[in-house]
Amino acid sequence: MLTRIIAVLTRDLKSGLRDAMIAYIMIVPILIAIVLKLLVPSAGANLIHVAVLESADPAFISMLEDHGRVEILADRDALVNRVSAVDDVIGLIETPQGTEMIAGGNEQEGTVEMVTAVVDLWQNRDLEIPVLVRFSDVGWELSPLAQYGTSFLIVFVSVFGGMVVMLNLVEEKQANTLAAINVSAISRLEFVVGKGLLGFILPLFHAFAILLIMGFTSIHIGMTVVVVLSIALISLIFGFVIGIYNDNSMSAVSSMKIGFIPIFGSVFGAMFLDSQWHPFLYWSPFYWAFRSIDQIILQQAVWNDMLLNSLYILLITMMVFALLYKRIKRGFA
Amino acid sequence: MIDAKELTYSYSKGKKNAIEQISFSVDEGEAFALLGPSGAGKSTTQGILTGLLPIQQGEATVAGTDLHHLSRSMFNKIGVSFEQSNVYGKLTALENLEFYRKLFDGSAIDPMTLLKQVGLDQVADKRADTFSKGMKHRLTFARSMINQPQIWFLDEPTTGLDPAIASQIKQIIKERKASGTTILLTTHNMVLADELSDKVGFIIDGQLKLVDTPRNLKLRYGEKLVQVEYKTEDTVKSELLSMVDEQERKRLGDIIHQYEIETMHTREATLEEIFIKVTGRGLV
Ligand SMILES: Nc1ncnc2c1ncn2[C@@H]1O[C@H](COP(=O)(O)OP(=O)(O)O)[C@@H](O)[C@H]1O
Ligand SMILES: [Mg+2]
């Protein structure tokens, strides 16, 4: 039983690595993660983003530069203008009373607190007692690009797993090697499990590679595995269904790409929509997966939430499976 | 070993039957050839007996397994060589066989030995998608015997191969037959059917017209064929007539009566000629 499953799995892996399209799908998430990592400014440099006046104390400016990006502007008006732009810039003006902070009101959670902490550091620079401000909470160190980019990429690779399974299946059909399988002693179950395993192993491998490349090394491994496996399942079912109904890898891939729409939709929705709109995304397993992974990366994940989210994903998957079951069965015959 | 009863199969939900009421049986160690032109229903019959096509009407048992209740273990006892070669292009010849042997229980033939037998040992480590059609066909053929099948299904095993390779394949089939393997062979090549089989079934338009041993067929039809050449006004015509058939005997009488006979002799019929006599059509 096990040897046959492993035989099917290793055959797919071996054959896949010799197939340009499959090899590409296997490698591309890693490449994207590397690019993403290069795009994200190294942690620390991006701690704060402030604007100050030309007239500010050079020592203050250089101290701020140690903690993030500093823009220097001519006068108060220019500074206020800069602050009200869409990004998270906080203006700092030194007054005899202390440092005045000008915020636009649309800043990310935590931004103001961090700048406050840095300013406190400056104002207390003469004190002998060590200042106990440390930026240990990853949430603060994270750039949104690293945080959302990583979560998005991990949700996305689950589809790649399904796609590789699908392409291997299409190849079996195209070459009619499926007929040779059907006259061997391997059972349908062994074959399906062997074919499907790659759809779990590959996203797991991708997810941990991405987390490693992005530097999220202290996330909860168990929770990550649970989320990735549950989201891989639904991609796998789609992979199987599309694989069974397509004789040509090109048309199969384009069918699979339709799956990108709910993924992009629900992930971007989760990123940018106000939480009151989120119920409109509850139907999407990718929404729940994204939320889970986001919390894992922020190290705010707790088992209860993770399991609940995965339960939603599994329930949705089961409904999809129930809808497609007849087609799957017919396709294999 | 193989028992087929009134098998009827349609690809179009009953509109047109690809095969109709096919019944025959193959005993242990026997080689049975389904002989018929392209489109006769040979592959369809083999498809049903190997479980690739669902059994729609009729009954069939293969190696003791009722095909209405297919069990995977039956496949340990059978081997199937396909008309169209079907191997993994991205795997080497050796990898193809190594993979396939793992799908069976029990002992398998060493893949390298098989490759040597079909003359592919030199290219064992080459990917199958670099192979010619004939090489792929030989690999498909080699794969079909890896589990040392008791029953061997061979769909057009030599079609499209060059003569040297075809005779090599024929030799392998003969050897396995001699060691007791039961064989179901489909072919439109009567020489092959004549040479390899104990029994021949003539199949045409989905119907099995006749089953007998090649020897009986020749005894029954062979000596009683007359080849006659006669002169009409401006040409010499030739006809092959059966002395069993009432009408053809009459026709011979008419010819002798009306025309000048050039040559006339009886001779043994080939299976192909018998096929034409029985079915009224040729094998291609
Ligand atoms: N997959 C198929 N779908 C529809 N018709 C088919 C299919 N395969 C074969 N047929 C038809 O069934 C008949 C028998 O074909 P087949 O069994 O392949 O004949 P043979 O093997 O003797 O050449 C033919 O009329 C053929 O056109
Ligand atoms: Mg055929």
Side-chain angles (χ1 to χ4, degrees):
Chain A
M1 169 110 189
L2 203 62
T3 48
R4 286 180 199 160
I5 291 174
I6 290 170
V8 172
L9 170 71
T10 48
R11 193 222 71 86
D12 277 1
L13 201 59
K14 201 184 280 180
S15 172
L17 288 170
R18 294 173 191 172
D19 179 284
M21 181 144 50
I22 294 178
Y24 174 79
I25 291 173
M26 288 187 190
I27 292 163
V28 91
I30 310 282
L31 294 181
I32 297 176
I34 291 170
V35 170
L36 196 61
K37 178 67 182 172
L38 295 176
L39 285 180
V40 173
S42 60
N46 201 37
L47 273 178
I48 58 172
H49 190 176
V50 294
V52 296
L53 296 180
E54 277 174 346
S55 53
D57 184 340
F60 181 46
I61 294 177
S62 90
M63 183 265 184
L64 286 172
E65 279 170 343
D66 286 345
H67 290 92
R69 268 178 73 190
V70 182
E71 289 181 37
I72 298 168
L73 296 161
D75 55 28
R76 194 187 169 91
D77 282 348
L79 186 136
V80 170
N81 251 332
R82 180 67 192 85
V83 168
S84 55
V86 280
D87 56 353
D88 285 355
V89 181
I90 289 177
L92 295 176
I93 297 176
E94 283 192 287
T95 65
Q97 288 78 35
T99 309
E100 182 191 347
M101 283 179 50
I102 306 171
N106 59 349
E107 284 77 14
Q108 289 236 333
E109 211 180 316
T111 315
V112 175
E113 287 85 339
M114 278 174 55
V115 175
T116 310
V118 176
V119 170
D120 280 348
L121 215 61
W122 168 251
Q123 280 168 348
N124 298 330
R125 65 194 180 280
D126 298 331
L127 291 178
E128 286 300 316
I129 33 166
V131 187
L132 291 176
V133 180
R134 283 192 58 236
F135 307 102
S136 58
D137 187 338
V138 262
W140 287 16
E141 281 181 29
L142 268 184
S143 86
L145 184 61
Q147 179 195 341
Y148 287 153
T150 306
S151 303
F152 174 69
L153 202 52
I154 290 176
V155 172
F156 207 73
V157 292
S158 74
V159 184
F160 283 2
M163 223 181 228
V164 168
V165 170
M166 173 198 75
L167 287 171
N168 276 317
L169 210 58
V170 170
E171 191 212 348
E172 296 256 8
K173 288 183 60 189
Q174 249 174 342
N176 197 27
T177 41
L178 214 48
I181 296 286
N182 280 334
V183 295
S184 77
I186 189 172
S187 72
R188 181 94 2 122
L189 182 70
E190 290 164 338
F191 182 67
V192 169
V193 171
K195 281 271 157 197
L197 268 182
L198 210 50
F200 291 111
I201 294 173
L202 209 57
L204 272 183
F205 165 76
H206 277 152
F208 283 104
I210 291 164
L211 288 168
L212 206 65
I213 291 168
M214 295 305 292
F216 299 121
T217 45
S218 47
I219 44 98
H220 196 295
I221 291 176
M223 292 182 189
T224 312
V225 170
V226 167
V227 184
V228 173
L229 289 186
S230 49
I231 193 68
L233 184 62
I234 196 157
S235 301
L236 189 61
I237 289 176
F238 279 112
F240 261 113
V241 172
I242 295 169
I244 287 168
Y245 282 93
N246 280 280
D247 290 328
N248 164 314
S249 53
M250 285 303 167
S251 71
V253 167
S254 52
S255 306
M256 196 85 188
K257 279 192 199 145
I258 295 170
F260 291 179
I261 296 168
I263 298 176
F264 277 107
S266 39
V267 169
F268 286 117
M271 281 184 206
F272 297 118
L273 287 180
D274 227 46
S275 56
Q276 76 193 74
W277 298 105
H278 283 202
F280 288 102
L281 303 171
Y282 285 179
W283 59 270
S284 167
F286 303 107
Y287 167 79
W288 297 107
F290 179 79
R291 273 184 50 160
S292 287
I293 294 168
D294 198 42
Q295 290 189 332
I296 288 173
I297 287 178
L298 293 176
Q299 299 196 349
Q300 287 163 359
V302 290
W303 270 116
N304 272 353
D305 287 351
M306 293 302 107
L307 292 176
L308 197 63
N309 287 359
S310 288
L311 186 70
Y312 291 143
I313 295 173
L314 289 182
L315 283 176
I316 298 166
T317 305
M318 273 162 60
M319 283 195 275
V320 171
F321 188 71
L323 285 173
L324 296 173
Y325 182 68
K326 275 217 166 112
R327 313 200 87 205
I328 295 178
K329 250 197 117 174
R330 236 186 303 137
F332 260 110
Chain B
M1 290 298 266
I2 302 175
D3 202 14
K5 273 203 199 81
E6 303 186 343
L7 293 177
T8 298
Y9 190 89
S10 168
Y11 289 97
S12 52
K13 293 217 169 100
K15 271 188 209 131
K16 183 180 169 288
N17 288 335
I19 59 168
E20 261 174 27
Q21 305 277 323
I22 299 255
S23 303
F24 64 93
S25 63
V26 186
D27 295 335
E28 186 164 358
E30 200 173 49
F32 184 97
L34 275 175
L35 183 66
S38 165
K42 305 183 294 294
S43 297
T44 304
T45 307
Q46 174 168 322
I48 295 168
L49 294 175
T50 53
L52 284 172
L53 296 173
I55 181 162
Q56 289 178 347
Q57 283 180 51
E59 307 293 326
T61 353
V62 170
T65 302
D66 178 358
L67 290 187
H68 281 291
H69 310 281
L70 207 58
S71 90
R72 294 320 296 177
S73 61
M74 172 185 106
F75 294 98
N76 286 317
K77 300 182 206 154
I78 74 168
V80 182
S81 184
F82 295 85
E83 185 175 2
Q84 312 280 343
S85 53
N86 53 351
V87 293
Y88 294 107
K90 293 190 189 72
L91 299 191
T92 66
L94 190 60
E95 284 169 344
N96 263 289
L97 297 186
E98 295 277 11
F99 167 69
Y100 203 65
R101 80 192 284 192
K102 295 197 189 109
L103 306 185
F104 294 92
D105 310 310
S107 65
I109 303 179
D110 170 53
M112 215 47 211
T113 311
L114 280 181
L115 289 177
K116 213 169 264 162
Q117 268 192 56
V118 297
L120 289 176
D121 49 323
Q122 298 297 317
V123 289
D125 295 323
K126 289 238 158 63
R127 274 166 59 162
D129 53 11
T130 64
F131 283 7
S132 70
K133 232 178 130 199
M135 288 158 88
K136 282 183 192 157
H137 190 89
R138 278 184 276 164
L139 185 55
T140 305
F141 175 79
R143 187 184 60 192
S144 73
M145 48 180 159
I146 198 159
N147 58 327
Q148 299 186 289
Q150 297 168 25
I151 306 182
W152 203 11
F153 291 90
L154 301 168
D155 198 352
E156 310 272 6
T158 59
T159 304
L161 296 182
D162 71 59
I165 296 164
S167 81
Q168 207 179 333
I169 297 255
K170 236 180 324 195
Q171 201 48 45
I172 297 171
I173 299 174
K174 276 183 186 162
E175 278 163 26
R176 289 204 71 83
K177 178 174 147 43
S179 68
T181 306
T182 307
I183 296 172
L184 179 75
L185 175 82
T186 83
T187 183
H188 62 258
N189 180 340
M190 52 93 197
V191 178
L192 192 74
D194 198 359
E195 224 176 305
L196 293 179
S197 60
D198 303 312
K199 267 197 277 179
V200 183
F202 286 173
I203 183 170
I204 192 154
D205 293 338
Q207 290 175 343
L208 195 59
K209 297 285 186 192
L210 172 146
V211 177
D212 214 332
T213 64
R215 188 182 139 77
N216 277 349
L217 286 170
K218 283 177 193 162
L219 282 180
R220 198 152 96 218
Y221 295 89
E223 303 292 326
K224 294 158 187 157
L225 274 185
V226 173
Q227 180 90 47
V228 57
E229 280 185 331
Y230 57 91
K231 253 196 178 138
T232 60
E233 283 110 63
D234 45 359
T235 54
V236 176
K237 283 196 176 159
S238 168
E239 271 182 55
L240 185 67
L241 295 164
S242 163
M243 292 301 95
V244 187
D245 188 294
E246 189 65 34
Q247 276 199 325
E248 298 200 0
R249 270 167 47 184
K250 228 179 127 254
R251 170 87 186 130
L252 183 63
D254 291 346
I255 290 172
I256 294 169
H257 204 74
Q258 287 176 354
Y259 305 104
E260 181 186 337
I261 304 295
E262 292 269 290
T263 66
M264 183 166 96
H265 42 251
T266 59
R267 66 174 184 77
E268 187 175 322
T270 62
L271 267 189
E272 180 156 29
E273 285 159 348
I274 297 169
F275 188 91
I276 294 168
K277 285 285 162 214
V278 172
T279 66
R281 267 200 269 155
L283 277 170
V284 276

